[in-house]
């Protein structure tokens, strides 16, 4: 039986962080045997809001690939590929843009939020406004039926499926499958500054490549409950960044529940919970950092993984492009 296909990707805007680990990398590791997986190094999408700095986008292709290998993604079971080297993705994007209106792109809640967050005003790069069509191309080119994403990305999957339905209706049969979003229950990991989202470009992340000192100072600087001044004071757990991180990473959730109760009653100091979190993060990141250091010494191997993966992905995406061109009945020589 064919395994279901998953497409995930990361913009090549910086090294991955523990938010990526909790939100998507841990799931990808779990699915390595049960699913066929393509991991897209999304450099073209990164350019849609980084056209002023293509060097950053280029440099981070290898950095993100290193993060994949460091966390344990196995290139024999998963295909790691580069978006800009898959011409079928660009060609499908051009076709799909005819199956979506500008008004619909502007109405997409994810796009609206991201335009606001980036402060584009009226000066929205056309590539940025149109990236939902490009994302539809990414997903459908691999005929992925499962797309694990953060909750804020769900409208993009909806828009992908609208495009799929229009194309299938025009073709008169199902050329492309619809995709289903899998949204992690944990939600998004906040930044160390307490902001709603840890992000590569937000300067509020703990990278998976962080040094022991960086981890220590990030945990020390974290917000807890501003009213929890003395150890004996009752403290708040909700909205307390340290507890949010413990929820995501503490392997002993029973003991954590007891600590939370004690913190709420009073009698548990911030120093203790921060020390617990620091140990957990040091233990999580140390082996990742060590593997990353080993892989970064062998750049030729990393480039080979990317090259072989991109070649495999090229075959798959070219096939789909042919299916779409045939399905729509476009001219062929
Ligand atoms: P950028 O700041 O450049 O947009 P980013 O940190 O938002 O970078 P992306 O490459 O845009 O990272 O996101 C890739 C995937 O990682 C998303 O689909 C999302 O599911 C997941 N992700 C990113 N940040 C977090 C987070 N803080 N918590 C949980 N998941 C996250
Ligand atoms: Mg992002």
């Amino acid at each position: 039986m064919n395994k279901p296909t998953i497409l995930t990707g990361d913009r090549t805007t910086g090294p991955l962080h523990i938010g990526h680990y909790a939100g998507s990398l841990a799931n990808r590791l779990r699915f390595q045997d049960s699913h066929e997986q393509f991991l897209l190094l999304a450099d073209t999408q990164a350019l849609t809001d980084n056209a002023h700095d293509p060097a950053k986008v280029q440099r981070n292709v290898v950095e993100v690939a290193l993060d994949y290998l460091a966390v344990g993604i196995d290139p024999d079971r998963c295909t790691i590929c580069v978006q800009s080297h898959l011409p079928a993705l660009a060609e499908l994007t051009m076709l799909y843009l005819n199956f979506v209106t500008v008004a619909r792109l502007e109405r997409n809640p994810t796009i609206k939020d991201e335009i606001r967050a980036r402060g584009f005003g009226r000066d929205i790069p056309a590539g940025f406004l149109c990236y939902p069509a490009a994302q539809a191309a990414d997903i459908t080119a691999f005929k992925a039926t499962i797309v694990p994403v953060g909750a804020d990305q769900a409208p993009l999957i909806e828009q992908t499926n609208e495009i799929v339905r229009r194309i299938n209706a025009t073709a008169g049969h199902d050329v492309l499958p619809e995709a289903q979003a899998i949204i992690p229950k944990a939600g998004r990991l906040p930044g160390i500054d307490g902001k709603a989202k840890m992000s590569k470009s937000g300067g509020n992340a703990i990278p998976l490549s962080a040094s022991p000192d960086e981890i220590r100072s990030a945990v020390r600087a974290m917000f807890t409950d501003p009213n929890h001044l003395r150890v004996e004071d009752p403290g708040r757990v909700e909205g307390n960044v340290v507890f949010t991180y413990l929820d995501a990473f503490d392997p002993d959730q029973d003991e954590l529940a007891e600590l939370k109760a004690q913190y709420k009653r009073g009698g548990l100091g911030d120093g203790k919970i921060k020390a617990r979190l620091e140990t957990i993060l040091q233990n999580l990141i140390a082996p990742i950092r060590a593997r990353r250091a080993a892989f970064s010494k062998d750049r030729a191997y990393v480039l080979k993984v990317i090259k072989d993966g991109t070649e495999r992905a090229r075959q798959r995406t070219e096939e789909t492009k042919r299916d779409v061109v045939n399905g729509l009945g476009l001219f062929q020589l």
Side-chain angles (χ1 to χ4, degrees), residues 206-228:
I206 301 181
L208 290 170
S209 45
S211 69
D213 278 349
E214 283 167 330
I215 298 168
R216 189 167 311 123
S217 42
V219 174
R220 289 223 174 119
M222 268 175 204
F223 290 101
T224 52
D225 171 359
N227 297 319
H228 185 241

Side-chain angles (χ1 to χ4, degrees), residues 81-112:
C81 53
V82 188
Q83 194 177 30
S84 63
H85 283 249
L86 299 169
L89 299 183
E91 294 168 71
L92 286 172
T93 303
M94 286 306 288
L95 284 174
Y96 292 3
L97 281 171
N98 303 305
F99 292 85
V100 63
T101 65
V102 173
R104 176 67 181 92
L105 289 164
E106 284 173 341
R107 253 198 335 266
N108 186 309
T110 309
I111 297 296
K112 269 176 139 165

